[in-house]
Amino acid sequence: MGYVAVEAGEEVIKRAEELFEKQRVDGDTEPVSVEQVDEQLSRLTAQAMSEGGVYAPRLAALAVKQAQGDTAEAAFLLRAYRSTLERWDETPPADPATMEATRRVSPAYKDVPGGQILGATKDYTQRLLDFELTDDTAADPTADWDIDGEEPPNLQNVLEVLRDEGLVHEPEDDAADTATEDDDTADTVPGDDDTAGTGTGNNDPSPFDTTREPITFPAPRPAILQELARGETGAVTALGYSELRGYGQVHPTLGEVRTGNLPVTIEHPYTGDEVQVTSTEVTETECVVPVYEKADDAQFAFGYGLVYGRTERKAIGMSILDAAIQLDGDEPAQNAEFVIDIVDGIDSFGFIEHLKLPHYVTFQSILDRIRAIRDRAAAATGDEEHAAVTADD
Amino acid sequence: MRAIGVDPVADTQQCFRTLVAAMSRPGTVHETPTSPADHAVLATLVDHEVSCYTTDETIKTALANEGRLTEASMTAADIVHATTPTDGAVETLRSGSLTEPSEGATIVYRVTELIPESANSSATTLSLSGPGIKDTRTLAVEGLPASEATSISRAQSEYPQGVDVIVATETALAALPRSVELEVQ
Amino acid sequence: MTDRQATSSTPDSVDALLDGVDADGLAGYNYAYLDEHTKREVRRSILKSIAIPGHQVPFASREMPLARGWGTGGIQASLSLLGPDDTFKVIDQGSDESVNAANIRRLATTTADVATTSDATEASIIQTRHRIPEEVLSDDQILVLQVPITDALRRVDGSDSANRRRHAHKNYSKMWVALYENIVEYGEIKLSARYPVMVADRYLMDPSPIPRWDVPKLDDADNLFLFAAGREARMYAVPPHTSVTPLAFEDREFQVERFDAAACRHCDSTDTFLTEVETDDGERVFACNDTAFCEKRAANPELTKAHHHDDPKAWGPPTDPAVPYGGDTPPSTNGADLGGDD
């Protein structure tokens, strides 16, 4: 009889899944291995991790393979998995200054302490399809580089220079100043502890976790940053772009964009010492915006971005949105509620695709209304006229 | 929670269903799967995501051993355990805000006896009406002074702000959500 | 790297999840899939929602192996309620056999070891997408409704924070103006499903996309209604014996859907919610939407909607606008007036 009244049970669902799987295995090629996805499609797996909110490269590679390359589906797999993991501790704040940076550029200054390190990038390469890749020899073009064995320099964050001069507005200052008359349970100073590059570190012992606490607005900045960091890459990029495109006042100068391996430490359960347990590849960016809230104490507005992997456009988009939301305003990207409501990829993907579910009851109700409205309109124009019209049809 | 005789999965599920029945039908009395009932309720609802005030060392230890205790003062706590009547302090508990009334506290009283639909009890008798109640319902609570019941009524007088009350004997409980009209007879 | 150990337990779909469960037994997952920490969060929010009827309580909604928009809130509520003694019914658009309903039912049976049924009178907990069953529910039953859009005011303002302030101050004038504008423009209130209601004379509530036909069932019912939204992370409730009134004007009363005396082609019912189907030869036919009740009626056409109760109170109007309500059901519409004219 139709889509719904089929005797579903396990059989139909199983068959649908098998057809999906067939699309992956039906060809003549060898199955791609999880290791291959991990090593050779790392930008894809990084996007899945970033939107999934969990750093686990090998799992992300598995998710990408299982999802046949669909990043939203892969991120969903990772999120659902993350939900089942027991959370037993929080790390102390990680300091990006300890990052082993493999790339760091600062557009704000021609030269910076530690130097401009271009690193691995295609930014200046011409985008020409490389047909030689169809015959991939996987030759390493850096094989004969002359590498000196020196320790990479510790790179001071360029924004510290501006902070020392008092030119950067600290978001924590807002919270201290503003009295919120609405909430009895006003959020205390929104210290942002997992991103220590924000200057005056607050000692808020437990950062807001949007996966454990529901958000209501106005939301604390840590909640907003977390949602942006987990946000769908396209959404963050598009909304960030809207500010540059003219729908807002944020046209930032990037203090720096930095990529590297960030050490992750925990407090040892017995000794209490900080020990490094792993490192995550991240991209971090900070920007300043020449919008001065106070004329008598002109300071840059400031935005921060941090993502897993090397998706620089997302990190930059995130920093633009952070600055835009702090500045607040009527433009879409400056409206915290609008941005946070739509930026989550799992929410948007789920709800848009839910439209495929049967809706025939709702639709019956809608049909009833449109017919009632048309009947009323027809009756209003008078019976004769109505008859004349129908005679002509 | 096994240390206090509560199975962390099965008993908490049953206790939760007891609480749902009690809150949906204020003034009705329901048996809890374990006793004492106030411990059952706390074992079901309390973890480190909410703050809790209690002076009961048994339940405190049981929760703390599982990392599930975030303590707070009576006036700041999300969940308040009143082993004795509060002497009117119930009126100072968190009552939420107009936009977030659900942030109002839940208070669990330890009482002696609950007598539903009692006409002539010497214990404090409450007459209830409102959501969950067809017309009116009476509940007598032994171990809750009339003055405390009046304080509860005052604490619930600024709907939707307010506190939600659970009264628990050794083996059973009843609930007085803030939505009910409460008259002390 | 810590991820190496855990590659075996990645649920992508309910199917794969349950394969894993079949293999290891229930050892890998907690009873009813959710961990106890998650259940406590959901349970606390359910109790608060019952205490403040119609108010949307925020809760920290977890990601589930089903996509957002496909019932994750309902599942979290059901799995937090269910125990081994329960009997669980799941319907989607009125049907037990819908693919999504079957999927949800499977998750419950395998992780919570519950009995299931398609009989609304046998279930202790019913999870539903967008319908309230035809048979009257009793005081020991709980109906969990899946909610896509949590706020009736979303129609007039996209901002939840602005709407929460309106709810705080019972300021619903924008909604009334919108309904009035409907009438000015179309002569009718054009809202179909998701019809806004006032709960306990305090909160404006979105009853989820149930048809208007089902809205009167919320008023002064014997059972508890829970409304769960996973994506929007809100829980709300209508306790039993609570007043629920659809918004309407004195001269534009609340109207339910009518089918002009059409009858179900399977069981011949004229007092159930029907949906229409275009047949291959261009004919329009109607069938009961509540398929389980339709089966019962087909076997016994005299069956009332309250056949399992002593009290014959029934839910829902007849399909013919000219026929008023029967029995004890308080009419929210004046049946005689609804011939499609004023």
Side-chain angles (χ1 to χ4, degrees):
Chain A
M1 184 157 157
Y3 175 15
V4 157
V6 178
E7 289 289 307
E10 295 181 31
E11 193 56 33
V12 164
I13 301 174
K14 195 155 171 299
R15 297 271 181 137
E17 284 169 352
E18 286 169 2
L19 278 173
F20 183 84
E21 186 66 355
K22 180 186 164 76
Q23 291 176 333
R24 188 177 67 79
V25 302
D26 209 18
D28 296 326
T29 56
E30 289 298 307
V32 68
S33 73
V34 170
E35 289 77 12
Q36 284 175 311
V37 175
D38 185 14
E39 285 177 16
Q40 299 175 41
L41 296 176
S42 60
R43 307 258 166 171
L44 196 55
T45 58
Q47 183 171 344
M49 284 194 284
S50 182
E51 297 175 10
V54 58
Y55 190 83
R58 198 47 69 88
L59 282 184
L62 173 62
V64 165
K65 173 175 164 158
Q66 189 175 334
Q68 297 177 35
D70 182 342
T71 48
E73 186 68 36
F76 181 19
L77 289 168
L78 290 172
R79 287 263 188 112
Y81 174 65
R82 182 191 188 282
S83 264
T84 66
L85 296 174
E86 185 181 337
R87 226 265 284 284
W88 51 268
D89 201 3
E90 283 155 12
T91 67
D95 184 357
T98 62
M99 198 195 289
E100 285 168 22
T102 53
R103 168 167 159 75
R104 193 280 298 265
V105 296
S106 171
Y109 292 97
K110 182 156 188 240
D111 232 320
V112 281
Q116 303 271 16
I117 303 171
L118 204 56
T121 182
K122 293 269 203 156
D123 282 349
Y124 301 98
T125 314
Q126 292 167 5
R127 263 58 167 202
L128 303 169
L129 278 176
D130 182 359
F131 292 98
E132 298 195 355
L133 276 180
T134 56
D135 241 324
D136 195 356
T137 58
D140 182 356
T142 72
D144 54 359
W145 283 17
D146 186 15
I147 300 174
D148 71 46
E150 267 177 43
E151 285 279 305
N154 221 299
L155 302 171
Q156 190 210 24
N157 190 314
V158 164
L159 230 68
E160 293 308 311
V161 171
L162 296 172
R163 281 204 174 88
D164 290 343
E165 224 187 301
L167 291 179
V168 179
H169 177 75
E170 297 302 336
E172 293 85 54
D173 299 342
D174 289 332
D177 294 340
T178 337
T180 48
E181 68 236 5
D182 281 344
D183 358 304
D184 306 339
T185 56
D187 264 284
T188 47
V189 182
D192 185 20
D193 279 66
D194 34 344
T195 51
T198 54
T200 53
N202 271 283
N203 290 317
D204 184 352
S206 207
F208 192 108
D209 186 346
T210 60
T211 66
R212 307 230 151 200
E213 243 183 283
I215 306 185
T216 51
F217 291 90
R221 184 163 169 258
I224 292 175
L225 287 172
Q226 183 184 6
E227 287 296 297
L228 292 174
R230 284 157 48 99
E232 212 248 323
T233 305
V236 172
T237 310
L239 287 170
Y241 177 49
S242 75
E243 282 283 316
L244 305 178
R245 189 60 187 71
Y247 299 94
Q249 42 183 326
V250 175
H251 204 110
T253 306
L254 297 182
E256 63 167 65
V257 178
R258 169 198 291 237
T259 297
N261 287 306
L262 181 68
V264 177
T265 60
I266 59 163
E267 260 180 45
H268 194 283
Y270 302 142
T271 67
D273 296 333
E274 269 195 39
V275 262
Q276 177 175 349
V277 287
T278 186
S279 66
T280 59
E281 187 181 57
V282 297
T283 299
E284 183 202 33
T285 183
E286 298 196 75
C287 72
V288 288
V289 186
V291 174
Y292 317 118
E293 297 248 72
K294 295 188 234 176
D296 53 348
D297 182 18
Q299 289 184 309
F300 288 125
F302 147 77
Y304 187 80
L306 182 76
V307 299
Y308 290 138
R310 295 167 173 260
T311 322
E312 293 176 6
R313 65 184 177 280
K314 183 177 170 184
I316 298 169
M318 178 175 162
S319 71
I320 294 173
L321 291 175
D322 179 25
I325 286 170
Q326 283 178 64
L327 288 170
D328 208 356
D330 294 328
E331 303 288 2
Q334 294 175 254
N335 178 340
E337 206 181 341
F338 175 77
V339 171
I340 299 307
D341 276 349
I342 69 169
V343 88
D344 187 270
I346 267 62
D347 282 357
S348 58
F349 149 62
F351 201 46
I352 282 189
E353 297 216 8
H354 110 282
L355 293 173
K356 295 178 286 189
L357 283 176
H359 281 79
Y360 54 91
V361 167
T362 330
F363 192 59
Q364 187 67 55
S365 189
I366 294 170
L367 284 173
D368 168 83
R369 282 295 82 196
I370 192 175
R371 287 170 184 154
I373 289 167
R374 290 176 69 87
D375 284 349
R376 180 180 282 275
T381 51
D383 285 356
E384 270 190 53
E385 232 172 309
H386 182 65
V389 167
T390 47
D392 287 345
D393 283 337
Chain B
M1 288 302 121
R2 284 183 223 271
I4 54 166
V6 175
D7 178 278
V9 178
D11 287 332
T12 56
Q13 184 267 331
Q14 284 176 46
C15 183
F16 171 60
R17 293 294 287 279
T18 306
L19 287 164
V20 168
M23 278 284 174
S24 309
R25 270 162 252 280
T28 56
V29 180
H30 304 266
E31 264 189 43
T32 49
T34 60
S35 59
D38 57 342
H39 284 187
V41 171
L42 296 170
T44 301
L45 297 181
V46 177
D47 61 26
H48 59 284
E49 306 281 6
V50 292
S51 57
C52 179
Y53 169 84
T54 179
T55 52
D56 181 326
E57 288 304 322
T58 313
I59 194 67
K60 235 200 242 193
T61 312
L63 289 168
N65 283 349
E66 294 186 18
R68 279 169 57 180
L69 185 63
T70 303
E71 287 190 84
S73 70
M74 209 183 186
T75 53
D78 296 305
I79 299 184
V80 174
H81 184 206
T83 49
T84 57
T86 69
D87 231 357
V90 62
E91 296 181 51
T92 63
L93 301 189
R94 288 176 54 152
S95 61
S97 63
L98 275 178
T99 33
E100 303 305 330
S102 64
E103 289 175 356
T106 305
I107 177 167
V108 184
Y109 284 95
R110 182 183 290 164
V111 297
T112 333
E113 213 192 333
L114 294 169
I115 310 115
E117 288 307 332
S118 54
N120 295 310
S121 176
S122 56
T124 305
T125 306
L126 312 171
S127 174
L128 311 167
S129 61
I133 302 165
K134 183 80 193 176
D135 291 302
T136 57
R137 198 175 273 144
T138 44
L139 175 72
V141 186
E142 184 74 62
L144 191 78
S147 59
E148 185 76 6
T150 308
S151 287
I152 288 173
S153 172
R154 278 203 285 268
Q156 297 181 331
S157 62
E158 306 265 303
Y159 190 81
Q161 292 166 279
V163 303
D164 303 301
V165 172
I166 297 165
V167 282
T169 63
E170 183 66 23
T171 55
L173 57 81
L176 306 168
R178 67 187 78 181
S179 53
V180 300
E181 294 282 321
L182 192 161
E183 252 179 56
V184 184
Q185 308 217 299
Chain C
M1 289 290 286
T2 52
D3 56 317
R4 258 178 226 284
Q5 297 137 337
T7 42
S8 57
S9 50
T10 310
D12 67 308
S13 61
V14 172
D15 215 30
L17 168 85
L18 296 180
D19 281 346
V21 170
D22 291 336
D24 321 330
L26 281 168
Y29 291 93
N30 193 27
Y31 177 79
Y33 181 69
L34 302 176
D35 59 276
E36 292 303 314
H37 179 242
T38 300
K39 286 181 195 169
R40 280 189 293 269
E41 171 70 13
V42 175
R43 287 170 177 171
R44 286 189 297 258
S45 73
I46 286 175
L47 292 174
K48 282 298 175 192
S49 69
I50 296 171
I52 315 170
H55 167 69
Q56 304 157 48
V57 176
F59 78 101
S61 175
R62 302 288 193 260
E63 256 108 20
M64 303 295 296
L66 273 75
R68 288 278 192 238
W70 297 59
T72 58
I75 290 169
Q76 287 175 81
S78 294
L79 293 177
S80 299
L81 287 161
L82 284 169
D85 295 335
D86 280 302
T87 307
F88 191 41
K89 172 176 160 89
V90 185
I91 46 174
D92 181 342
Q93 302 275 298
S95 170
D96 299 83
E97 293 311 312
S98 128
V99 176
N100 208 42
N103 213 18
I104 292 169
R105 199 164 48 237
R106 269 193 323 155
L107 182 61
T109 52
T110 320
T111 63
D113 191 30
V114 280
T116 61
T117 182
S118 60
D119 187 340
T121 64
E122 305 260 294
S124 52
I125 298 182
I126 302 174
Q127 180 172 331
T128 175
R129 180 168 164 266
H130 310 344
R131 277 266 14 233
I132 297 181
E134 296 291 344
E135 287 154 298
V136 182
L137 299 182
S138 16
D139 55 13
D140 52 2
Q141 294 180 290
I142 302 175
L143 189 69
V144 176
L145 294 101
Q146 296 176 203
V147 178
I149 297 171
T150 54
D151 203 326
L153 290 172
R154 194 71 61 74
R155 285 199 167 96
V156 298
D157 191 338
S159 164
D160 269 349
S161 59
N163 289 334
R164 282 184 94 72
R165 280 194 296 278
R166 292 187 175 101
H167 285 293
H169 299 286
K170 202 181 168 185
N171 176 7
Y172 298 129
S173 50
K174 253 190 130 128
M175 187 82 231
W176 284 104
V177 167
L179 293 179
Y180 175 73
E181 285 172 350
N182 255 197
I183 292 174
V184 166
E185 193 169 349
Y186 302 107
E188 299 277 340
I189 293 175
K190 88 171 166 72
L191 304 183
S192 50
R194 270 190 67 217
Y195 198 93
V197 296
M198 278 301 282
V199 175
D201 204 33
R202 177 53 181 85
Y203 278 103
L204 185 72
M205 186 185 88
D206 186 320
S208 83
I210 54 177
R212 280 164 279 128
W213 185 276
D214 286 342
V215 166
K217 300 175 181 177
L218 297 167
D219 181 54
D220 193 25
D222 290 330
N223 65 292
L224 168 68
F225 299 94
L226 290 178
F227 297 83
R231 181 182 50 89
E232 298 196 357
R234 301 286 188 265
M235 187 77 67
Y236 49 102
V238 172
H241 306 301
T242 302
S243 80
V244 177
T245 325
L247 297 195
F249 299 97
E250 270 172 23
D251 55 350
R252 282 293 186 284
E253 293 180 329
F254 171 69
Q255 293 181 359
V256 301
E257 301 85 354
R258 295 300 184 108
F259 308 97
D260 284 326
C264 169
R265 68 163 177 171
H266 290 303
C267 70
D268 226 27
S269 295
T270 56
D271 65 343
T272 59
F273 186 81
L274 307 173
T275 51
E276 64 189 62
V277 174
E278 306 288 318
T279 60
D280 287 335
D281 40 306
E283 208 197 329
R284 182 185 297 161
V285 294
F286 290 85
C288 281
N289 174 254
D290 183 336
T291 49
F293 186 60
C294 186
E295 293 295 311
K296 289 188 186 177
R297 270 274 173 89
N300 178 2
E302 299 305 309
L303 206 62
T304 68
K305 294 174 183 176
H307 61 92
H308 49 302
H309 289 170
D310 299 326
D311 176 359
K313 167 183 165 181
W315 271 346
T319 60
D320 185 348
V323 179
Y325 285 98
D328 297 325
T329 317
S332 12
T333 60
N334 194 332
D337 285 1
L338 286 178
D341 311 308
D342 339 88

